[in-house]
Amino acid sequence: MTDSFVFDFRETDYTQTALAGGKGANLGELTKIAGIRVPEGFIVSTAAFESVIAAAPAVGALMDGLSLLKADNQAEISHLSAQIRSIIEGITIPAGIAEEISRQLSRLGAGGAYAVRSSATAEDLPAASFAGQQDTYLNITGEAAILRHISRCWASLFTARAVTYRIRNGFGHRKVLLAVVVQRMVFPQSAGIMFTADPVTASRKVVSIDAGFGLGEALVAGLVNPDVYKVSDGTIIDKHIAVKKLATYALTDGGTEEAAVEPEKQHRQVLTDEQVLLLAHTGRIIATHFGQPQDIEWCLAEDGFYIVQSRPITTLFPIPEADDRENRVYVSVGHQQMMTDPIKPLGLSFYQLITPAPIRKAGGRLFVDITHFLSSPAGRERLMNTLGKSDPLINDALKTIMAREHFIPQLPQETEVQPADKCKEAPPAPAPLGNDPAIASAMIQRFEESATALKKHILTKSGPELFDFIIADIQELKTIMQHPHNMGMIMAAINAAFRINERIYEWLGEKNVADILSLSVSGNITSEMGLDLLALADLIRPYPGIIAYLQQVTDDNFLEALPQFAGGQQVREAIDNYLSRYGMRCAGEIDISRPRWSEKPFTLVPMILGNLRNAAPGAGKQKFEEGRQAARKKEAELTEQLLHLPDAGEKIKEIKENISLLRNYAGYREYPKYAIVSRYLIYKQALLKEAAQLVQLRAIQDTADVFYLTFEEFREAVRTGKADEQLIRRRKEEYTVYEKLTPPRLITSDGEIITGAYKRENLPADAIAGLPVSSGMVEGRARVILNMEDADLEEGDILVTTFTDPSWTPLFVTIKGLVTEVGGIMTHGAVIAREYGLPAVVCVENATRLIKDGQQIRVHGTEGYIELL
């Protein structure tokens, strides 16, 4: 790379984004791939852009004004952006830069036609495409026109859409610079876009090609429907030939025009099959060179294909890591655990340490490899009876995979398939269990005694010894979790609910009666958490001074000032007691790095104030008692109805036995996760002391940096007193990217996302289908809430969100219905919705987009759908 402001494509490569912008750097890299033809050209560097901007101080002041705006302030964004563009377009390009451009044009042919294209430093990157945010000008002729359009490209960095995009994606206006690509025009017969991974299914084995006549601009702008060809393993597997009525062509004197395609060509295939296969092969070469799937712009001239751009496809979900090249199938852990957000590396490590499942990582999420299960009839049946039964969309996706005869090799019939996860994802059939609530009490006592011992002994550990101690304690936790009574009670309650629902529907025609029979069961630690917060509000209610104080506090130190108010000491102690029992909870609690309530007690304040505003005194006890009475009443009603049926005695006996099992064990369902996250807090407090030591040693800048290390990397940092700061910085950047990704329920080793669908008839027109998990029907105002901290609920609202974990439970005492995008019959939100008697529908694809905040909706919790009113 020279010190000049302008340089040839061949002088740059993908490492020079800061000087050439994303588009320019990628073009430079393309010129280095043997056999790939790139139209010649040059780059006007970001240094030239900076020198022009530096000469216009008014631009800097206007950029400062833009930095204060939010994305929804469109009027002001448009006003300030227009001013900046006007100033930049009015600046004469400095003589030195203009001379360098002139020399490049003389080399290439000053009389030729060129494409003048913007190339931003935050463009065509692995983490952000910024596609279409800056301007491109085609068929520009003459040096004066090229200079003018270079200025227009610089100015296009400040179109309203580009400014808004940067605001939404967190890019500072001063940090994004612009280079300009000037590239010799190709006048193609046809042009288009090629994706080296299928943009619909995300399969990395499928190349998808869009093709249209003339220049590619009409296709990119969406003015015409393209032909679409799909290629896999050197074979065209799908072909859609569109009717192509328009095309964009270059004009002789410069510029472009849209023109009608001749009638005889409108139905013609744009590319021959041989050309499709050749282009797909070219795409594979380019993707292999860049090391990731590419979005490629191509054109076909008389002498063959040219590549005019290649950028990473930024929307693909990463493929879970594997140790071989065999076909594999992965199921999302997050969809089972009600936590689809990314997890930091330390959190991923801890989950992998705790679960016996074959876990893989991708996109900051965890996936279970279920390939072994799919390889035998017994394994498939087990999957369908566990994952398939709890989530209809997983069920349908699994059927799609099973229908592919040769994707997963089949094991011999007699081969026994071991469960993927004895704790969660695919539980084995539990040993027979008696019907005695004392079994639950004994298991809880064992968990609590073990946690007490952990608290005592971990205080004596530090350095590498602490990490060894934690590993040993996790083994102790796993031993308790693997006790036959632990999974036995959970499965006994699930099976009892299924049997009750099946029998009563068969005998009496009533659906989902187990939802009522499981109201206000004893021993549910999660529902007790919500009721206890109501009791805490009742304690505060008589003290207006404390209420006024809580309404104006904003930080986590609010507890310190409470004793100065009347009743304050008692309230302080009550909150401390609440945090002692539930302070390990937080949103996304399966990630050990997430701040717990005991670390951020202010999290409780909006919930307490909401309870004071929306709940009557004594609402917690009343709610529990009403549920208990409703369950008793339902049992009595069923008994009376069954008396009139044949074999009444046997039917009543069977139902009562299952009701007893349900009420004795359903509450225990929530305890194992509580036990795990209780330990998480103990581990975390000890580990943060080690992190503080690393800060003192200047090995890391902040204690939270250790969350971006794996457990073993953290141990090594403590042993050596050194940490890889570059690795931590890269992991932070990756985490920011992962936050923007939506994880799939099921993904293959080809990267293909298998989506399920509801196969249901007789739903009302425009109904939104989901999984019914808690009976009843309710109408109300939808509150679409993506973060629990943003919840501002009124009594009677219907909560619509992506997922709920136990930390959301205190909000359930206010709402009267629940809709989530993720969930199953026995996930936490469903369990607590039934416990509180809230009609609920979960597993609703795109619920937070299809339902608008404030919209009136009707939730059919028995049938499993939502109506927009």
Side-chain angles (χ1 to χ4, degrees):
M1 182 73 66
T2 67
D3 293 330
S4 64
F5 285 111
V6 183
F7 44 85
D8 184 86
F9 288 166
R10 290 166 295 187
E11 296 178 80
T12 188
D13 57 35
Y14 75 95
T15 67
Q16 300 292 336
T17 301
L19 203 57
K23 190 180 276 97
N26 287 350
L27 278 168
E29 190 66 30
L30 283 166
T31 64
K32 294 166 177 54
I33 307 175
I36 303 300
R37 293 201 291 181
V38 180
E40 288 186 292
F42 59 90
I43 298 164
V44 183
S45 72
T46 56
F49 173 76
E50 285 186 290
S51 70
V52 169
I53 296 299
V59 170
L62 290 167
M63 276 198 284
D64 290 340
L66 282 178
S67 67
L68 302 175
L69 301 178
K70 294 184 178 179
D72 58 359
N73 197 339
Q74 284 296 300
E76 192 63 18
I77 287 173
S78 296
H79 176 66
L80 293 180
S81 298
Q83 287 183 271
I84 294 175
R85 291 198 307 277
S86 178
I87 293 170
I88 293 173
E89 288 185 28
I91 296 172
T92 301
I93 294 178
I97 298 173
E99 287 171 9
E100 289 188 45
I101 294 170
S102 181
R103 280 197 295 271
Q104 289 286 347
L105 289 171
S106 296
R107 177 179 65 83
L108 296 173
Y114 293 87
V116 183
R117 313 170 76 188
S118 306
S119 178
T121 53
E123 183 176 46
D124 295 352
L125 304 178
S129 74
F130 278 72
Q133 297 308 312
Q134 282 79 50
D135 287 347
T136 288
Y137 302 97
L138 299 179
N139 199 27
I140 308 302
T141 58
E143 184 174 318
I146 289 169
L147 290 173
R148 186 166 64 253
H149 283 86
I150 288 171
S151 292
R152 291 179 69 182
C153 279
W154 286 336
S156 75
L157 189 62
F158 296 97
T159 61
R161 70 175 183 271
V163 169
T164 302
Y165 188 95
R166 288 197 294 274
I167 292 171
R168 286 190 173 136
N169 286 275
F171 284 82
H173 303 301
R174 290 179 179 274
K175 292 185 177 179
V176 180
L177 304 176
L178 200 78
V180 178
V181 168
V182 180
Q183 188 172 27
R184 190 193 291 274
M185 276 290 295
V186 174
F187 299 99
Q189 305 165 3
S190 58
I193 301 167
M194 169 168 53
F195 301 95
T196 65
D198 192 320
V200 177
T201 68
S203 174
R204 272 57 160 190
K205 284 194 172 180
V206 175
V207 175
S208 181
I209 298 170
D210 290 6
F213 292 119
L215 296 167
E217 295 310 295
L219 188 152
V220 172
L223 299 176
V224 296
N225 293 322
D227 284 1
V228 180
Y229 314 102
K230 298 201 174 183
V231 179
S232 179
D233 294 326
T235 302
I236 298 174
I237 60 171
D238 192 31
K239 189 189 300 183
H240 172 73
I241 309 305
V243 179
K244 299 163 286 289
K245 295 184 177 181
L246 282 176
T248 302
Y249 296 102
L251 294 170
T252 305
D253 297 329
T256 62
E257 70 169 356
E258 292 168 20
V261 175
E262 301 93 316
E264 64 272 16
K265 286 179 62 177
Q266 290 181 5
H267 297 271
R268 187 188 302 169
Q269 191 167 313
V270 173
L271 299 177
T272 66
D273 287 358
E274 293 77 11
Q275 289 170 335
V276 168
L277 294 176
L278 175 60
L279 184 56
H281 177 67
T282 301
R284 285 283 179 230
I285 292 172
I286 294 170
T288 300
H289 180 87
F290 280 101
Q292 66 185 109
Q294 296 289 297
D295 168 356
I296 299 165
E297 295 176 25
W298 59 269
C299 57
L300 175 63
E302 290 184 3
D303 58 344
F305 286 107
Y306 286 85
I307 303 301
V308 295
Q309 187 48 257
S310 185
R311 62 176 69 86
I313 304 176
T314 61
T315 56
L316 294 175
F317 196 86
I319 301 173
E321 56 202 20
D323 302 326
D324 56 41
R325 295 194 173 187
E326 299 296 321
N327 288 340
R328 298 198 166 274
V329 180
Y330 306 96
V331 168
S332 163
V333 170
H335 285 78
Q336 306 301 307
Q337 290 288 350
M338 307 304 294
M339 165 55 173
T340 55
D341 290 345
I343 300 174
K344 296 184 178 72
L346 189 64
L348 295 171
S349 289
F350 265 94
Y351 196 92
Q352 288 179 291
L353 288 169
I354 285 173
T355 180
I359 293 285
R360 300 290 180 263
K361 296 181 289 186
R365 278 81 169 183
L366 293 165
F367 293 82
V368 177
D369 185 344
I370 60 169
T371 310
H372 191 55
F373 277 87
L374 291 169
S375 62
S376 79
R380 291 181 172 203
E381 183 179 1
R382 183 171 292 167
L383 277 176
M384 298 307 289
N385 286 334
T386 51
L387 294 177
K389 191 176 284 187
S390 68
D391 185 333
L393 297 178
I394 286 279
N395 181 298
D396 194 51
L398 287 171
K399 288 179 180 177
T400 300
I401 283 289
M402 290 176 188
R404 297 180 180 177
E405 294 182 13
H406 305 296
F407 190 75
I408 302 294
Q410 295 298 290
L411 295 171
Q413 282 277 6
E414 64 274 10
T415 305
E416 183 176 348
V417 178
Q418 296 300 317
D421 182 351
K422 296 183 178 69
C423 170
K424 176 71 183 175
E425 277 74 24
L433 186 73
N435 186 6
D436 183 357
I439 297 173
S441 300
M443 278 301 301
I444 289 171
Q445 184 176 355
R446 182 171 177 185
F447 272 119
E448 291 184 347
E449 287 175 351
S450 177
T452 299
L454 166 63
K455 285 180 185 177
K456 176 181 176 183
H457 296 304
I458 202 169
L459 294 174
T460 65
K461 311 299 179 186
S462 63
E465 185 186 11
L466 169 65
F467 292 81
D468 296 336
F469 175 79
I470 289 174
I471 291 290
D473 187 75
I474 287 173
Q475 189 54 51
E476 160 75 6
L477 172 63
K478 288 164 77 171
T479 299
I480 301 173
M481 297 287 289
Q482 290 163 6
H483 191 287
H485 285 169
N486 181 55
M487 203 65 211
M489 284 185 283
I490 293 171
M491 293 309 298
I494 292 173
N495 291 333
F498 276 120
R499 280 194 294 269
I500 291 168
N501 284 338
E502 286 174 359
R503 294 289 190 267
I504 295 301
Y505 185 66
E506 177 188 348
W507 297 335
L508 301 175
E510 187 175 350
K511 290 184 177 181
N512 301 340
V513 294
D515 294 355
I516 301 172
L517 295 168
S518 60
L519 290 171
S520 299
V521 296
S522 60
N524 187 319
I525 189 73
T526 306
S527 65
E528 288 171 2
M529 178 174 68
L531 299 177
D532 286 351
L533 200 64
L534 280 171
L536 188 55
D538 285 345
L539 178 64
I540 294 170
R541 205 179 297 274
Y543 303 109
I546 295 177
I547 295 171
Y549 169 66
L550 292 178
Q551 288 171 337
Q552 54 89 32
V553 298
T554 57
D555 60 49
D556 294 313
N557 299 318
F558 73 95
L559 291 170
E560 296 174 7
L562 275 176
Q564 66 183 290
F565 297 96
Q569 185 59 38
Q570 182 186 9
V571 169
R572 166 75 190 262
E573 290 171 3
I575 293 176
D576 285 339
N577 289 337
Y578 187 88
L579 290 171
S580 178
R581 190 170 192 213
Y582 305 114
M584 74 293 294
R585 294 293 200 190
C586 68
E589 62 191 11
I590 65 169
D591 180 357
I592 197 171
S593 74
R594 292 284 187 111
R596 310 282 142 175
W597 288 352
S598 59
E599 297 169 315
K600 292 181 69 67
F602 175 74
T603 306
L604 297 179
V605 172
M607 292 190 282
I608 292 170
L609 292 172
N611 286 345
L612 287 166
R613 183 175 65 247
N614 297 319
K621 290 181 180 178
Q622 180 183 346
K623 194 176 192 71
F624 186 82
E625 184 57 28
E626 285 174 352
R628 198 163 65 90
Q629 292 299 334
R632 284 182 174 179
K633 181 181 177 183
K634 191 64 186 177
E635 182 175 357
E637 287 176 0
L638 293 173
T639 302
E640 173 62 28
Q641 290 173 285
L642 292 172
L643 277 172
H644 303 289
L645 299 182
D647 302 319
E650 288 299 314
K651 288 182 169 67
I652 291 170
K653 180 183 177 184
E654 180 181 350
I655 291 300
K656 283 188 172 290
E657 285 176 353
N658 280 293
I659 290 172
S660 179
L661 277 169
L662 179 66
R663 293 197 65 80
N664 281 339
Y665 295 143
Y668 180 79
R669 161 70 180 83
E670 292 293 296
Y671 195 85
K673 189 173 186 183
Y674 171 83
I676 292 171
V677 296
S678 296
R679 269 178 148 82
Y680 267 16
L681 180 57
I682 299 167
Y683 298 153
K684 185 180 181 183
Q685 289 170 334
L687 289 170
L688 284 176
K689 291 179 183 177
E690 299 300 321
Q693 291 290 322
L694 290 175
V695 171
Q696 284 193 349
L697 293 170
R698 298 187 178 179
I700 56 176
Q701 295 181 11
D702 185 85
T703 55
D705 287 351
V706 298
F707 299 148
Y708 296 92
L709 299 174
T710 66
F711 185 85
E712 290 301 324
E713 289 166 350
F714 190 180
R715 185 212 298 256
E716 185 63 12
V718 168
R719 186 185 71 80
T720 62
K722 298 176 182 177
D724 187 339
E725 289 192 83
Q726 190 172 354
L727 174 67
I728 291 170
R729 187 163 53 250
R730 191 183 81 237
R731 294 252 178 89
K732 288 180 178 179
E733 291 170 356
E734 289 172 347
Y735 185 81
T736 301
V737 174
Y738 296 156
E739 285 183 300
K740 299 172 185 175
L741 298 177
T742 300
R745 281 179 168 81
L746 189 146
I747 186 171
T748 73
S749 49
D750 295 336
E752 182 181 3
I753 294 171
I754 310 292
T755 56
Y758 288 102
K759 305 292 194 295
R760 283 157 56 184
E761 300 175 354
N762 303 321
L763 291 183
D766 301 324
I768 303 171
L771 174 67
V773 295
S774 186
S775 296
M777 183 180 72
V778 66
E779 292 183 14
R781 179 181 67 156
R783 292 309 316 275
V784 180
I785 295 170
L786 302 182
N787 297 300
M788 196 184 78
E789 294 79 5
D790 300 331
D792 181 17
L793 297 165
E794 300 292 337
E795 186 175 11
D797 283 345
I798 296 170
L799 175 61
V800 181
T801 188
T802 47
F803 60 83
T804 62
D805 60 13
S807 71
W808 289 68
T809 300
L811 301 179
F812 284 26
V813 300
T814 296
I815 62 176
K816 64 178 180 181
L818 174 69
V819 178
T820 67
E821 294 182 347
V822 174
I825 295 285
M826 291 306 295
T827 47
H828 300 277
V831 170
I832 303 305
R834 290 194 293 272
E835 174 81 4
Y836 286 173
L838 304 173
V841 180
V842 303
C843 208
V844 182
E845 287 279 76
N846 300 314
T848 57
R849 278 176 274 177
L850 296 172
I851 301 170
K852 306 302 181 188
D853 187 48
Q855 191 170 21
Q856 287 293 119
I857 64 173
R858 182 183 296 128
V859 176
H860 294 261
T862 306
E863 301 296 334
Y865 64 92
I866 300 101
E867 288 182 280
L868 308 179
L869 304 180

